[in-house]
């Protein structure tokens, strides 16, 4: 179990270390600003979907996030469906694999 703060901080560490650190030029700064502005919105998304997250077992009534269930479900989907390519403005196409899910998990659980 992790708090929302631990979750958001872990996502930030993942973005910094696995995405932003690999970008060069001015894009590096603009992407850092963009993600930095977007991350606080995670709390709003959690609030709007809290009942569904609780019903699905990803969150408890006390607000703690069941990171192990989330990780296991995501890794199983990634293994079954394969990698995905996501277009990120100023960066281009970025491929995400199950390795990224594991890395994200470790950044959150630090």
């Amino acid at each position: 179990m992790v708090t929302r703060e631990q979750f958001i901080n872990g996502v930030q560490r993942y973005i910094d270390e696995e995405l932003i650190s690999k970008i060069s030029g001015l894009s590096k700064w603009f992407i850092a600003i963009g993600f930095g502005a977007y991350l606080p919105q995670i709390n709003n998304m959690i609030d709007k979907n809290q009942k569904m997250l609780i019903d699905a077992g990803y969150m408890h009534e006390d607000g703690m996030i069941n990171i192990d269930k989330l990780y296991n479900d995501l890794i199983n989907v990634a293994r079954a469906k394969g990698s995905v390519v996501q277009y990120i403005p100023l960066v281009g196409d970025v491929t995400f694999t199950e390795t990224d899910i594991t890395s994200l998990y470790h950044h959150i659980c630090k």
Side-chain angles (χ1 to χ4, degrees):
M1 297 297 213
V2 297
T3 65
R4 285 186 193 197
E5 184 177 354
Q6 288 171 303
F7 183 81
I8 293 169
N9 289 341
V11 170
Q12 180 68 57
R13 280 191 297 274
Y14 171 82
I15 290 169
D16 287 344
E17 294 175 22
E18 301 296 335
L19 294 175
I20 294 173
S21 70
K22 297 174 183 172
I23 300 170
S24 62
L26 288 175
S27 293
K28 179 179 260 184
W29 293 353
F30 292 120
I31 293 298
I33 290 169
F35 277 120
Y38 183 74
L39 279 174
Q41 297 304 312
I42 292 175
N43 273 320
N44 294 336
M45 290 186 299
I46 291 171
D47 288 340
K48 289 179 184 177
N49 297 289
Q50 187 167 354
K51 182 175 177 0
M52 184 270 307
L53 292 168
I54 291 169
D55 291 346
Y58 297 119
M59 178 180 259
H60 285 216
E61 294 284 340
D62 64 3
M64 296 293 286
I65 297 170
N66 187 342
I67 194 65
D68 292 324
K69 177 171 176 38
L70 182 59
Y71 170 75
N72 287 327
D73 289 355
L74 280 172
I75 201 78
N76 287 331
V77 169
R79 287 177 179 153
K81 304 297 181 189
S83 63
V84 296
V85 177
Q86 177 65 47
Y87 174 78
I88 299 175
L90 299 175
V91 176
D93 288 339
V94 177
T95 301
F96 293 96
T97 68
E98 65 181 80
T99 303
D100 291 293
I101 296 168
T102 300
S103 177
L104 178 60
Y105 174 81
H106 289 295
H107 280 88
I108 292 169
C109 293
K110 273 187 180 179

